Amino acid sequence: MPEQARPILAHDLARSLGGVYQGPEGLVLSGVATLEEASKEDLSFLTNAKYIGLAKESKTGCLLIAPEHRDTFEGPKIVVQTPYLALARAVRLFYPGQESEAGVSSLAFVHPKAWVAPSASVGPFCVIEEGARVLERARLVAQVFVGRNVIVGKACLIYPHVSLLDGTILGDRVIVQAGCVVGSDGFGFAFDPDSKAYEKIPQVGHVEVGPDAELGACTTIDRAFMGRTLIGEGTKVDNLVQVGHNVQIGKHCILVSQVGISGSTKIGDHVTLAGQVGVVGHIRIEEGVVVGAGSGVHGDLKAHRTYWGFPAVEYKRALVRHGALERLPELRKRVFSLKQRLEALERRLEEGGCGHSEDPG
Amino acid sequence: MPEQARPILAHDLARSLGGVYQGPEGLVLSGVATLEEASKEDLSFLTNAKYIGLAKESKTGCLLIAPEHRDTFEGPKIVVQTPYLALARAVRLFYPGQESEAGVSSLAFVHPKAWVAPSASVGPFCVIEEGARVLERARLVAQVFVGRNVIVGKACLIYPHVSLLDGTILGDRVIVQAGCVVGSDGFGFAFDPDSKAYEKIPQVGHVEVGPDAELGACTTIDRAFMGRTLIGEGTKVDNLVQVGHNVQIGKHCILVSQVGISGSTKIGDHVTLAGQVGVVGHIRIEEGVVVGAGSGVHGDLKAHRTYWGFPAVEYKRALVRHGALERLPELRKRVFSLKQRLEALERRLEEGGCGHSEDPG
Amino acid sequence: MPEQARPILAHDLARSLGGVYQGPEGLVLSGVATLEEASKEDLSFLTNAKYIGLAKESKTGCLLIAPEHRDTFEGPKIVVQTPYLALARAVRLFYPGQESEAGVSSLAFVHPKAWVAPSASVGPFCVIEEGARVLERARLVAQVFVGRNVIVGKACLIYPHVSLLDGTILGDRVIVQAGCVVGSDGFGFAFDPDSKAYEKIPQVGHVEVGPDAELGACTTIDRAFMGRTLIGEGTKVDNLVQVGHNVQIGKHCILVSQVGISGSTKIGDHVTLAGQVGVVGHIRIEEGVVVGAGSGVHGDLKAHRTYWGFPAVEYKRALVRHGALERLPELRKRVFSLKQRLEALERRLEEGGCGHSEDPG
């Protein structure tokens, strides 16, 4: 039950995408689909050479294809430098989305000392507390919490049940998926040796999220102890990710689902952390690092390298380590066999009376 | 502070459960409890032979027991083929639950173009958007979000703070625990090599959940890029689980807490993934597979087999690998000792002038 | 955008913290900051000897310092036994927080048979169901769900989008971060061999949380099958943690983010589980245990010991195992070299005609 797509002339589409159309005049496309599922009215896409065969068998009406593969497909096509990027833009053209009406629902609560831009949209049962500001064209779908002195940037899109707690700053065009929590207290406690209990260290910092970032469903970003926790411009955070207090994440990073980052760690630009990666606190991951799924990062990582494993080491080393582990049972057998052969030699030398008579130890 | 149980005659209970009662006439049971905690008025249960001793010492008034164990317990008992299943049904009889009144709270928001069955129940601060349909006897406890064109099947039970985002389809009798998000955007971005930024690929598909499925608290199910993400009939998903876009999960699967499944992976029927298992995208897990807790699944898995480890391999192989790893420090010592003995032999041959004089290399 | 701090005389601060001030009369401090960021008007803190150099270079106006380090810092200082604990208290003095007004928002729903103390504060769009009790000075920020017969203890602080489901009991001063779910159904199903489907086992127990505990954002605590799931007094639970049904957690424990604990496991007092640790069901972790990040716990753990790894073993053993694994590729090479040298010896003995002529095998 997706939204209805609107039809587009293939020729117009190519022009919008900055590509070159090769095919019959007047071809109309009515949607986007994968190679397997595309019909004669759909646009499809070839983003990986290994699917060239699949493309040939596809019923697609038109194909997004890179210059280097253009000759592998005979049907109508739009030739573009980066088909995957063109796909993102094509989908947006076919499915422009529904406009939401500007204005504040009569069922929302807006504190008298909060400010909502007239072009913004605030749905039912939202709460906007004192001193908060919701900027132009921002949209709060429904049941969103906006705490004291929060700033929601221009054209932000905030889904239901999101909590933006006191002092949070969202840059322009930030998207926050449902159930996400921004600005929960950092996890800081001091142990009292007298009472044998933990005493809470008040967390008086805040969270700042750069423009064009996206935060996933049920993801939690803790406020700083002091100062700020930072999610950089354009960084995309998937669902169920934990970001601890005072973490600094650079620009255009990718944090896949269920990643956890402990407090005060610093992450450079263009870093990718795959699913379920855990990162300890107070370390530095330099720009361009990639960490494979499920890894545990226990120390600093060097720029533009790939890491994997528990604990994470450089990928090539991890592969060697893992290969050796896979063959460990065989290695054990070999060692046992060597031991037997060595003992046979020892006995033979002993019995044969060859060489000196001292004890071989 | 559980609900109050209602008393039941042991004889009636046995008949309801399709079992055979052996015990005094007129025995009344007033609740269910574990073997350790049961009093003379409670029903208890023996679901595992290793607790036969515990059953003998229990003060329970009556025991659910399988035919093969019936002779191990002398007190009143109800003999049933599958005591654990009978337990599930017995609990339901003792604790029938409170009926909620049908009707829409005056504090809920229902769009004029949405439809709520008269027998459904919609609690305070729920939001039901345009085109949504809430079918017969469905219950939305409170503060639930139901997006555009969502279908909530008959007799569904939706707990507070659940988000059912645009286009979601729930089959009949689906249970969704509090804070669960169904239909968040899939995590799809195209890297723009010019701007060095990621561009969002609009996610225009939806989520479909089969009848009798259950989704856990703060679990997140992403909508498909195109088409649908599918949770099969009767599949039970625990808390804090992540299901990526276009994942297809079969019928009657068990996904334990904190499992993460990346996009487009296909999972057959009757698959069990234990806690914290991570599964990469675009792979196939065949029917009847079991994966042990904490495993990382990096490739296809064959039907009806058990896997474990990081990365996951077949269970027997994982045990051998793990056993070899456990004894690796000892193996190192043995190799070092072999090296010393070998060197002693080499020296002895050298010194003893035995054999030829060429260099042993 | 943190709250504004209020200025305090260093002399008064020292007295409040039970410390000794050494510095000029009349010094006024206007906030707290780290050693790197502190200005001449800030209080800073030395909690670890390795930062003594950093302290010397800091521009801080005054330093919290332990008696054993007092001579390493020449500027104004407050000497206290435990600087980290004093820090917690100092922050509270500088940032006393805003008082919330007592009373129930006119936009909240309170069941006629629920009770809210006059000194409690209930924000907009909260739901308080039949039989629930919100005790003195408790604060429900906004959009909180309080189910049937729930008790919210005195001075509890409950953030937005928290679900406290039927029967939950919170002790006094409990803090619950946004999006947390307390009392979701335990994950219990009985497999029906006839229908090949799972049947839900109704979960009729509840959750009890001791005084001074804290529960993190989007953390989920399942209700017991029967009886109670228990979080002990003073225990601090971070974000995105899963606690299964009937788990019993002792007092003053620390559960770091993304930990998962399966059903019926018992955890003693003063246990620390670091981030992403997974614990299987039905085991016992004794008091004072520490488990390192990312570990998988598959069996009972002994009191006051430290464990690590997958599966978790005692820390020293884990280090040896891990060190051996790291050097495994080299071990393989060594074994191969030994094999070659052994074979050379065997050939030499054979060819040299030394000793007997039997086959060395």
Side-chain angles (χ1 to χ4, degrees):
Chain A
M1 237 154 147
E3 307 171 44
Q4 206 57 40
R6 67 182 185 111
I8 308 181
L9 266 173
H11 188 269
D12 291 351
L13 182 63
R15 204 172 42 201
S16 298
L17 300 176
V20 174
Y21 172 59
Q22 297 182 337
E25 282 293 308
L27 178 69
V28 174
L29 298 169
S30 61
V32 184
T34 59
L35 289 169
E36 291 100 323
E37 294 175 357
S39 75
K40 287 174 70 171
E41 281 129 39
D42 285 324
L43 177 74
S44 196
F45 45 95
L46 178 68
T47 54
N48 189 322
K50 76 175 176 183
Y51 297 127
I52 286 174
L54 212 56
K56 284 181 180 162
E57 292 167 17
S58 175
K59 294 176 183 156
T60 183
C62 185
L63 192 70
L64 284 172
I65 193 166
E68 62 268 30
H69 303 134
R70 69 194 305 168
D71 296 335
T72 68
F73 184 76
E74 301 198 340
K77 55 196 154 194
I78 295 174
V79 182
V80 288
Q81 285 301 323
T82 48
Y84 201 52
L85 191 61
L87 171 67
R89 292 168 185 172
V91 174
R92 197 162 286 122
L93 293 168
F94 280 107
Y95 303 88
Q98 291 176 258
E99 284 297 301
S100 62
E101 280 180 58
V104 176
S105 165
S106 62
L107 299 175
F109 167 79
V110 181
H111 191 280
K113 291 187 180 166
W115 184 79
V116 178
S119 59
S121 161
V122 177
F125 312 127
C126 287
V127 171
I128 301 180
E129 296 279 21
E130 185 175 352
R133 292 160 52 83
V134 178
L135 304 188
E136 287 74 13
R137 300 182 312 287
R139 181 176 171 214
L140 281 56
V141 173
Q143 298 156 319
V144 172
F145 179 82
V146 179
R148 287 172 179 146
N149 301 317
V150 169
I151 298 174
V152 180
K154 293 175 186 169
C156 281
L157 173 53
I158 316 294
Y159 282 95
H161 300 118
V162 167
S163 297
L164 305 174
L165 294 150
D166 295 10
T168 295
I169 299 172
L170 301 188
D172 296 342
R173 297 172 302 281
V174 168
I175 297 173
V176 187
Q177 300 290 335
C180 180
V181 174
V182 186
S184 38
D185 281 350
F187 197 64
F189 302 92
F191 188 70
D192 181 346
D194 294 332
S195 65
K196 307 284 184 207
Y198 291 94
E199 192 158 317
K200 184 175 178 73
I201 301 176
Q203 305 287 304
V204 298
H206 69 290
V207 177
E208 187 170 335
V209 180
D212 298 301
E214 180 163 338
L215 305 179
C218 295
T219 274
T220 59
I221 316 283
D222 279 349
R223 70 176 54 243
F225 160 48
M226 309 244 158
R228 65 180 187 179
T229 303
L230 177 67
I231 308 291
E233 176 183 341
T235 284
K236 312 299 188 184
V237 181
D238 201 352
N239 302 341
L240 294 168
V241 170
Q242 153 73 0
V243 177
H245 54 178
N246 291 83
V247 167
Q248 311 288 309
I249 299 179
K251 297 176 180 176
H252 310 300
C253 293
I254 294 283
L255 274 58
V256 180
S257 181
Q258 296 176 323
V259 160
I261 303 174
S262 297
S264 299
T265 280
K266 288 184 170 62
I267 296 181
D269 298 341
H270 289 104
V271 167
T272 296
L273 304 181
Q276 296 187 334
V277 166
V279 180
V280 302
H282 296 274
I283 67 167
R284 180 181 294 269
I285 298 182
E286 297 180 356
E287 65 170 21
V289 161
V290 175
V291 182
S295 299
V297 179
H298 293 185
D300 293 355
L301 302 184
K302 295 287 179 198
H304 302 294
R305 298 188 190 175
T306 298
Y307 295 84
W308 187 54
F310 180 82
V313 292
E314 279 203 64
Y315 188 61
K316 277 186 190 167
R317 171 119 194 116
L319 281 189
V320 170
R321 184 173 77 184
H322 176 246
L325 179 58
E326 279 302 302
R327 287 168 296 187
L328 183 54
E330 288 72 28
L331 186 68
R332 282 179 61 80
K333 285 184 196 155
R334 173 170 293 177
V335 169
F336 193 69
S337 150
L338 286 181
K339 179 163 176 285
Q340 286 180 314
R341 284 161 70 179
L342 183 65
E343 284 167 355
L345 276 190
E346 286 169 348
R347 275 195 308 274
R348 194 165 153 194
L349 282 172
E350 213 53 44
E351 292 164 8
C354 177
H356 307 274
S357 59
E358 82 269 27
D359 185 356
Chain B
M1 235 155 149
E3 307 170 43
Q4 205 59 40
R6 67 183 184 111
I8 308 181
L9 266 172
H11 188 269
D12 292 351
L13 181 63
R15 203 170 44 200
S16 297
L17 300 175
V20 174
Y21 172 60
Q22 298 184 337
E25 282 293 308
L27 178 68
V28 175
L29 298 169
S30 60
V32 184
T34 59
L35 289 169
E36 291 100 322
E37 294 175 359
S39 75
K40 288 174 71 172
E41 281 129 40
D42 286 323
L43 176 74
S44 194
F45 45 95
L46 178 68
T47 55
N48 189 322
K50 75 176 176 182
Y51 297 127
I52 286 175
L54 211 55
K56 283 182 181 161
E57 292 167 17
S58 174
K59 293 175 183 157
T60 184
C62 185
L63 191 69
L64 285 171
I65 194 166
E68 62 267 31
H69 303 133
R70 71 195 304 168
D71 296 335
T72 68
F73 184 77
E74 301 198 338
K77 55 196 153 193
I78 296 173
V79 182
V80 287
Q81 285 303 324
T82 49
Y84 201 51
L85 191 61
L87 170 67
R89 292 167 185 173
V91 174
R92 196 161 288 122
L93 294 169
F94 280 107
Y95 304 87
Q98 290 176 259
E99 283 298 300
S100 61
E101 280 179 58
V104 176
S105 163
S106 63
L107 298 175
F109 167 78
V110 180
H111 191 280
K113 292 187 180 166
W115 184 79
V116 178
S119 59
S121 160
V122 176
F125 312 128
C126 287
V127 171
I128 301 180
E129 296 279 22
E130 184 176 353
R133 292 159 52 83
V134 177
L135 303 189
E136 287 75 14
R137 301 182 313 288
R139 182 176 171 214
L140 281 55
V141 174
Q143 298 156 318
V144 173
F145 179 81
V146 179
R148 288 171 178 148
N149 300 318
V150 168
I151 298 174
V152 180
K154 293 176 186 169
C156 280
L157 173 54
I158 317 293
Y159 282 96
H161 300 120
V162 167
S163 297
L164 305 174
L165 294 150
D166 295 8
T168 295
I169 300 173
L170 301 188
D172 296 341
R173 298 171 303 281
V174 168
I175 297 173
V176 186
Q177 300 290 336
C180 180
V181 174
V182 186
S184 38
D185 281 350
F187 197 63
F189 302 92
F191 187 69
D192 181 345
D194 294 332
S195 65
K196 309 282 183 208
Y198 291 94
E199 194 159 315
K200 184 176 178 75
I201 301 176
Q203 305 287 306
V204 298
H206 68 291
V207 177
E208 188 170 334
V209 180
D212 298 302
E214 180 164 339
L215 304 179
C218 295
T219 274
T220 59
I221 316 283
D222 279 349
R223 68 176 55 244
F225 160 48
M226 310 242 157
R228 65 180 187 179
T229 303
L230 178 66
I231 309 292
E233 176 182 342
T235 284
K236 312 299 187 185
V237 182
D238 201 351
N239 301 342
L240 294 167
V241 170
Q242 153 72 1
V243 177
H245 54 178
N246 291 84
V247 167
Q248 311 288 310
I249 299 178
K251 296 176 181 177
H252 310 301
C253 293
I254 294 283
L255 273 59
V256 180
S257 181
Q258 296 176 323
V259 160
I261 303 173
S262 297
S264 299
T265 281
K266 288 183 170 63
I267 295 181
D269 298 342
H270 289 103
V271 167
T272 297
L273 304 182
Q276 296 188 333
V277 166
V279 180
V280 301
H282 296 272
I283 67 168
R284 181 181 294 270
I285 297 181
E286 297 179 355
E287 66 171 21
V289 162
V290 174
V291 182
S295 299
V297 179
H298 293 185
D300 293 355
L301 302 184
K302 296 285 178 199
H304 302 294
R305 298 187 190 175
T306 298
Y307 295 83
W308 187 56
F310 180 82
V313 293
E314 278 203 65
Y315 187 62
K316 276 186 189 166
R317 170 119 195 118
L319 281 188
V320 170
R321 184 173 76 182
H322 177 245
L325 180 59
E326 278 302 302
R327 285 168 297 185
L328 182 55
E330 288 71 29
L331 186 67
R332 282 180 60 80
K333 285 184 196 157
R334 173 170 294 177
V335 170
F336 193 68
S337 151
L338 285 182
K339 178 163 174 284
Q340 286 180 314
R341 284 161 68 179
L342 182 65
E343 283 167 356
L345 276 191
E346 286 169 349
R347 274 197 307 275
R348 195 166 154 195
L349 281 173
E350 212 52 45
E351 293 164 8
C354 176
H356 306 275
S357 59
E358 82 271 25
D359 185 356
Chain C
M1 239 156 146
E3 307 170 44
Q4 205 57 41
R6 68 183 184 111
I8 308 180
L9 266 173
H11 188 268
D12 291 351
L13 182 63
R15 203 171 44 200
S16 298
L17 300 175
V20 174
Y21 172 60
Q22 297 182 336
E25 281 294 307
L27 178 68
V28 174
L29 299 169
S30 61
V32 184
T34 60
L35 288 169
E36 292 100 321
E37 294 176 357
S39 76
K40 288 173 71 172
E41 281 129 41
D42 286 324
L43 176 74
S44 195
F45 44 94
L46 178 68
T47 54
N48 189 322
K50 76 175 174 183
Y51 297 126
I52 285 175
L54 212 55
K56 283 181 181 163
E57 292 167 17
S58 174
K59 295 175 182 156
T60 183
C62 185
L63 191 69
L64 285 171
I65 194 166
E68 63 268 31
H69 303 135
R70 70 192 306 167
D71 296 334
T72 68
F73 184 76
E74 301 199 339
K77 55 197 154 191
I78 296 173
V79 183
V80 288
Q81 285 302 323
T82 49
Y84 201 52
L85 191 61
L87 171 66
R89 291 167 186 174
V91 175
R92 196 161 286 121
L93 293 168
F94 280 106
Y95 303 87
Q98 290 176 257
E99 283 297 302
S100 62
E101 280 179 58
V104 176
S105 164
S106 63
L107 299 174
F109 168 78
V110 180
H111 191 281
K113 291 186 181 166
W115 184 79
V116 178
S119 59
S121 161
V122 177
F125 312 128
C126 287
V127 171
I128 301 180
E129 297 279 21
E130 184 175 352
R133 292 159 52 82
V134 178
L135 303 189
E136 288 74 12
R137 301 181 314 288
R139 181 176 170 214
L140 282 55
V141 174
Q143 299 156 316
V144 172
F145 179 82
V146 179
R148 287 172 179 147
N149 300 318
V150 168
I151 297 173
V152 180
K154 293 175 187 170
C156 280
L157 172 53
I158 316 293
Y159 282 95
H161 300 120
V162 166
S163 298
L164 305 174
L165 295 150
D166 295 8
T168 294
I169 299 173
L170 300 188
D172 296 341
R173 298 172 302 281
V174 168
I175 298 173
V176 187
Q177 301 289 336
C180 181
V181 174
V182 186
S184 38
D185 281 350
F187 197 64
F189 303 92
F191 187 69
D192 181 345
D194 294 333
S195 66
K196 308 283 184 207
Y198 291 94
E199 193 158 318
K200 184 176 178 74
I201 301 176
Q203 305 288 305
V204 299
H206 69 290
V207 177
E208 188 171 335
V209 180
D212 298 302
E214 179 163 340
L215 305 179
C218 295
T219 274
T220 59
I221 316 283
D222 280 348
R223 68 175 56 243
F225 160 49
M226 310 244 158
R228 67 179 186 179
T229 302
L230 177 67
I231 309 291
E233 176 183 341
T235 284
K236 312 299 187 185
V237 181
D238 201 352
N239 301 340
L240 294 166
V241 170
Q242 154 71 0
V243 177
H245 54 178
N246 291 83
V247 167
Q248 311 288 309
I249 299 179
K251 297 177 180 176
H252 310 300
C253 293
I254 295 283
L255 274 58
V256 181
S257 181
Q258 296 176 322
V259 160
I261 303 173
S262 297
S264 300
T265 280
K266 288 184 171 63
I267 296 181
D269 298 342
H270 289 103
V271 167
T272 297
L273 304 181
Q276 297 187 332
V277 166
V279 180
V280 302
H282 296 272
I283 67 168
R284 181 181 294 269
I285 297 181
E286 296 180 356
E287 66 170 21
V289 162
V290 174
V291 182
S295 300
V297 179
H298 293 184
D300 292 355
L301 302 184
K302 295 287 179 198
H304 302 295
R305 298 188 190 175
T306 298
Y307 295 83
W308 187 55
F310 180 81
V313 293
E314 277 204 65
Y315 188 62
K316 276 186 190 166
R317 170 118 195 118
L319 281 188
V320 170
R321 183 173 77 183
H322 176 246
L325 179 58
E326 278 302 301
R327 287 168 295 186
L328 181 55
E330 288 71 29
L331 185 67
R332 281 181 62 79
K333 285 184 196 157
R334 174 170 292 177
V335 169
F336 192 69
S337 150
L338 286 182
K339 178 164 175 284
Q340 286 180 313
R341 286 161 68 178
L342 182 65
E343 283 167 357
L345 277 190
E346 285 169 349
R347 274 196 308 274
R348 196 164 152 195
L349 282 173
E350 211 54 40
E351 292 164 9
C354 177
H356 308 275
S357 59
E358 81 271 24
D359 185 357

